[in-house]
Amino acid sequence: MLASGNEAFNKNGIPLNFTSILPDILERLAESVFQYVAYPTSAQISKVAEALIQKHPCLREPGSYNGCYGWQQRLKYKMANYRTKLRGLGCPELDVNSLRKKRSHEKAPAKNVKKPKKSEVNYLPPHPHGETEESLECERVELLNEVKKRDNSQIISEKMAKTFSSRRQEVVNQAPAVNDMKERWPALFDTAQINQEFRRITTVALETTFMAKLDHYSPKLMSLLFSRGGTAKTKIQRIRNMLLEDESVETRREAAIHGVVVYLREKEEDLFREQDGDEDITNDVMKIVVTRGAMVSNPATATIILEGTEVLADLDVPRACALLMGLIYALNLSYPKELKNTFEVFQKIFLELDDLKASPKVMSLKSKLLF
C-alpha cells in the first residue's frame, strides 16, 4: 500500500489515506525505535517522523507545518503504550520503572525514572537465555574464587560477561555503595575488566578511544588555553611550566586534561588532589589523588578514590581519568555537579558518546577544536 501510495503521490500529489494501516505503521516504528532506545527524546522522535515522510512522501500531512507533526505526536504516545506492553512482559529496562518497584514516596510514573542518561546502549539487559537470578548468583560466587587464582584472566572475563545482566540489575536497582560492590564484584575493579564492562555498556573501547581523541585535540586545546588571560593566567602558566619541565606523552596528556578543567572555568582541585603525606580519604566522594616523585623525570602516579574507598592505584593521570569514566558507567554514578562540564567533555568529545547534544560551553569548545 505504501509503494502504490508513493507512486500515486509522485504522479498527482494526492496523499495516501493511511487510516487502515496506521496501527501497523506505528507498531513497526515502535519496534524499530525500541531496538535503539527505550525512552526516545522529542528530538529523536522528530528525526524518526522526518525519516518516515522522506521515505514515504505519501504519508506527508498537508495541514502540518513540517509535514510530520501529527506523526511525531502519534509516535510519542505509541512509544508510551509500547513500553507499557513490554513492561507487562517483564522487560528489565522497563520493569524497573513500574510503580510496584518504586519506593512509596515515588509512586508516580514520571518520578525518578531509571533510564540511560549517558548514551548507554546496554543499560539494563535481560538475563541470558536459560539463566535465572539463582544460577547467575552461583556464577558470582564462583567468580569470587576465580579472582584469587593467578593467570586466570580468561575464565574471569567469561564469567564477568555471563553475569553482566545480574550485575547491571544490582547496580541500577539497588545503587549499592562502592565498598559493597568491591566486596561482591572484586573483578570489576581490575583495569582490564573496567575496559570490558565499558564496552559491554556502550560498545566503545574505553582507553584507546579516550587517549586517541585526547592526543588528537591536545595541540588545539593548548593553543586555545594559552591564548586566554584574566584570572586563569596563573593556572595557565603552571600548565605551561609542566610542559617545559617534562615532554613525555603522559605529561602532555595530563596538561591537556588540566587545560580542559581550567578552560571550562572549573576547579582542578575538585577532580585532583596532590598527595601530601597520609591524608584522610574518607570524605573524597570522587577524586584522583596524584603523587609526584622528587625528581621531575619520575612520572606522577594516580589513585582513584570513590566514596572514600581506594579502587585503583599506580596509574598515570590520563589513564586514571579514562578509567574513572569507565567506573562511572560500570557503577551507574552521576557526574559531580562542580565538574559537569569537564566530564561532559570526557564523554562527548574524548569518547564521542552522545556527541551531537551538549551543553553550550562544551559545544562551543568542540566547535573551536574542530575548526
Side-chain angles (χ1 to χ4, degrees):
M1 289 183 68
L2 289 172
S4 60
N6 288 333
E7 185 178 351
F9 182 82
N10 292 330
K11 285 182 179 180
N12 51 39
I14 299 176
L16 176 69
N17 183 357
F18 51 77
T19 306
S20 61
I21 58 171
L22 178 60
D24 293 329
I25 293 174
L26 292 175
E27 187 75 15
R28 288 292 187 89
L29 287 174
E31 289 176 1
S32 298
V33 170
F34 192 82
Q35 291 178 20
Y36 296 93
V37 56
Y39 295 90
T41 63
S42 297
Q44 290 170 328
I45 288 177
S46 178
K47 291 279 188 182
V48 173
E50 290 171 7
L52 176 66
I53 64 169
Q54 185 176 1
K55 184 172 183 179
H56 301 293
C58 66
L59 297 177
R60 179 178 289 273
E61 300 167 318
S64 172
Y65 76 95
N66 61 354
C68 62
Y69 180 76
W71 286 108
Q72 292 172 220
Q73 298 306 306
R74 295 185 192 99
L75 184 56
K76 174 184 175 181
Y77 290 109
K78 178 61 184 179
M79 287 304 301
N81 293 334
Y82 192 75
R83 286 194 294 268
T84 300
K85 181 172 71 172
L86 291 187
R87 188 180 296 117
L89 296 174
C91 177
E93 191 170 350
L94 302 174
D95 192 45
V96 69
N97 293 315
S98 61
L99 294 180
R100 61 185 173 79
K101 288 287 185 74
K102 292 190 174 185
R103 289 175 287 185
S104 56
H105 64 284
E106 295 176 343
K107 295 287 186 181
K111 185 74 172 179
N112 192 26
V113 176
K114 296 178 180 178
K115 61 181 180 179
K117 297 177 182 177
K118 298 188 288 290
S119 196
E120 298 95 336
V121 176
N122 294 308
Y123 179 70
L124 195 55
H127 293 321
H129 182 68
E131 298 291 346
T132 62
E133 291 185 13
E134 291 74 20
S135 65
L136 292 175
E137 176 62 16
C138 291
E139 290 286 340
R140 186 192 69 80
V141 174
E142 291 179 13
L143 189 56
L144 292 175
N145 295 323
E146 296 295 339
V147 295
K148 298 175 183 177
K149 301 176 183 178
R150 299 177 62 182
D151 302 322
N152 206 23
S153 57
Q154 182 62 36
I155 295 176
I156 291 173
S157 294
E158 291 173 357
K159 289 189 176 294
M160 285 291 286
K162 190 173 183 179
T163 55
F164 174 59
S165 61
S166 175
R167 190 162 53 255
R168 287 302 293 176
Q169 291 199 22
E170 183 175 331
V171 165
V172 174
N173 291 334
Q174 301 173 24
V178 172
N179 196 42
D180 293 337
M181 280 296 294
K182 197 172 180 182
E183 289 183 7
R184 286 179 56 79
W185 301 94
L188 182 61
F189 295 86
D190 172 74
T191 56
Q193 290 305 319
I194 292 171
N195 278 275
Q196 291 184 33
E197 191 83 347
F198 187 81
R199 185 184 281 275
R200 293 184 196 107
I201 296 170
T202 67
T203 74
V204 172
L206 175 59
E207 288 192 68
T208 53
T209 304
F210 189 95
M211 297 306 173
K213 292 301 176 182
L214 176 60
D215 291 341
H216 177 72
Y217 290 122
S218 287
K220 183 68 174 180
L221 180 61
M222 290 293 97
S223 176
L224 290 171
L225 181 67
F226 294 153
S227 66
R228 302 190 76 166
T231 56
K233 190 174 182 179
T234 304
K235 295 179 180 179
I236 294 171
Q237 186 58 48
R238 183 173 47 76
I239 294 172
R240 193 192 297 270
N241 293 339
M242 184 188 301
L243 291 171
L244 292 174
E245 293 173 357
D246 185 5
E247 297 182 353
S248 66
V249 174
E250 290 78 15
T251 300
R252 289 201 305 270
R253 289 171 173 171
E254 181 182 352
I257 291 171
H258 280 276
V260 168
V261 182
V262 173
Y263 185 87
L264 295 170
R265 302 184 188 280
E266 294 180 333
K267 296 179 180 179
E268 297 168 89
E269 55 269 26
D270 287 335
L271 178 59
F272 302 106
R273 178 160 59 79
E274 298 289 332
Q275 181 70 39
D276 186 18
D278 296 328
E279 298 179 0
D280 184 18
I281 65 172
T282 55
N283 294 324
D284 291 331
V285 177
M286 186 180 293
K287 196 79 73 176
I288 295 175
V289 178
V290 182
T291 304
R292 302 192 186 275
M295 302 293 292
V296 175
S297 57
N298 295 334
T301 58
T303 301
I304 299 176
I305 308 295
L306 291 175
E307 297 178 6
T309 301
E310 180 181 314
V311 293
L312 281 175
D314 298 324
L315 307 166
D316 60 60
V317 175
R319 194 178 184 211
C321 292
L323 290 169
L324 176 57
M325 284 297 292
L327 286 165
I328 287 172
Y329 275 77
L331 301 174
N332 197 38
L333 303 176
S334 299
Y335 297 149
K337 291 182 179 179
E338 62 273 12
L339 289 165
K340 62 183 181 65
N341 290 318
T342 296
F343 279 95
E344 192 176 344
V345 168
F346 290 173
Q347 175 193 327
K348 299 185 178 183
I349 296 181
F350 295 162
L351 291 170
E352 297 185 323
L353 289 167
D354 198 21
D355 55 331
L356 297 179
K357 183 182 178 183
S359 64
K361 274 190 177 182
V362 175
M363 189 60 77
S364 173
L365 174 59
K366 182 180 178 182
S367 299
K368 291 175 181 177
L369 292 175
L370 292 174
F371 298 102

